[in-house]
Amino acid sequence: PDDMAMLLFGNKPLSRALCPPPSQSDKDAVVFTPRHASALIAVLGHESIPPLLQHCQQRGVDMMRGMVIPYIQKVREGVHRDIKLPSATDYTVDGVFDYFRVKFQDLEGYPSLDCGGSKEGGVLQSFREAGNILALTVLFDRALSLSRA
């Protein structure tokens, strides 16, 4: 097979090289469950949960304003306005891949999504934290609902 096609579509050895298996510490990680949320509510008290969630919400807003929105604006600056989807039957898959590689060449100089060139992490880390905030909110909601019942 063509090397470019392998990079475009990937294969099992390439996936293993780029995405190593989780470490033992990841496998042993404890999942935060509604029981943990209930215990945290018992320790902190019901009156502490609204300020905690308000702080989490503000952290999420700050991440979006400070990391995600500026990154998206920079990416939009680097994207050509005349991008069209070329036909793979006319240009082959390699031709389509090369077309997009050339069109997005300006983006290669931008900081990576993962580190973002910042001490807080990058855009992907911001989305991870936002997802954790939403999950924590749902767990607290479930725990509070169970405590009222």
Side-chain angles (χ1 to χ4, degrees):
D2 185 10
D3 288 340
M4 294 301 289
M6 182 183 75
L7 292 175
L8 180 63
F9 298 112
N11 59 25
K12 197 178 275 187
L14 188 61
S15 294
R16 283 189 183 136
L18 295 176
C19 304
S23 66
Q24 187 61 38
S25 62
D26 292 340
K27 292 176 186 174
D28 295 337
V30 176
V31 176
F32 194 82
T33 66
R35 266 183 61 202
H36 295 103
S38 296
L40 192 56
I41 291 169
V43 170
L44 295 176
H46 284 80
E47 64 281 350
S48 298
I49 300 307
L52 175 67
L53 292 178
Q54 185 176 17
H55 175 76
C56 289
Q57 177 189 9
Q58 188 58 48
R59 171 76 178 138
V61 168
D62 291 345
M63 282 187 299
M64 290 297 158
R65 286 187 181 146
M67 181 65 66
V68 176
I69 292 172
Y71 189 86
I72 290 171
Q73 289 170 339
K74 280 195 176 255
V75 168
R76 289 186 70 198
E77 290 170 13
V79 174
H80 292 272
R81 301 283 178 231
D82 63 342
I83 291 181
K84 295 177 176 57
L85 179 62
S87 169
T89 56
D90 294 338
Y91 297 102
T92 74
V93 172
D94 291 336
V96 173
F97 177 76
D98 288 338
Y99 170 82
F100 283 110
R101 188 173 50 83
V102 168
K103 289 291 184 178
F104 290 109
Q105 193 169 10
D106 295 341
L107 297 177
E108 287 180 347
Y110 289 153
S112 92
L113 282 171
D114 245 348
C115 67
S118 135
K119 63 181 168 125
E120 294 98 24
V123 174
L124 295 179
Q125 181 61 29
S126 296
F127 282 120
R128 285 182 201 109
E129 288 184 36
N132 288 339
I133 290 169
L134 291 173
L136 181 67
T137 304
V138 168
L139 288 172
F140 276 136
D141 181 55
R142 286 184 187 161
L144 288 170
S145 297
L146 289 173
S147 70
R148 288 187 205 122

